[in-house]
Amino acid sequence: MRWIFVCLTLCLFTPASFANEDASEPNVKKSKNDICHDKSSRSYKRTKTYTPYETIEECLASGGRLPKK
């Protein structure tokens, strides 16, 4: 009975954004400045105006560039 309470508690307090993180965000974002940000980029989450891509190679082929480190 105790494990049911634990499971329900975890389900209720798990943020929806965490549970659906991969579903709502593309793998690569090309910013309005043509910079390709994958999920390991420091600017990925801050990039709000973008064109989505599946791979970094697709983004680069479209005229994008990698961010400066």
Side-chain angles (χ1 to χ4, degrees), residues 30-35 47 49-50:
K30 184 169 84 171
S31 70
K32 61 184 176 182
N33 295 321
D34 292 330
I35 302 172
T47 304
T49 304
Y50 62 87

Side-chain angles (χ1 to χ4, degrees), residues 3-53:
W3 65 272
I4 294 174
F5 176 75
V6 171
C7 289
L8 289 174
T9 302
L10 289 174
C11 290
L12 292 174
F13 293 105
T14 301
S17 61
F18 178 76
N20 296 324
E21 184 176 328
D22 290 333
S24 64
E25 294 288 336
N27 291 329
V28 179
K29 297 177 179 180
K30 184 169 84 171
S31 70
K32 61 184 176 182
N33 295 321
D34 292 330
I35 302 172
C36 299
H37 298 282
D38 65 4
K39 291 186 177 186
S40 67
S41 171
R42 292 186 297 171
S43 299
Y44 179 85
K45 289 189 178 193
R46 290 183 286 174
T47 304
K48 301 299 180 195
T49 304
Y50 62 87
T51 303
Y53 290 92

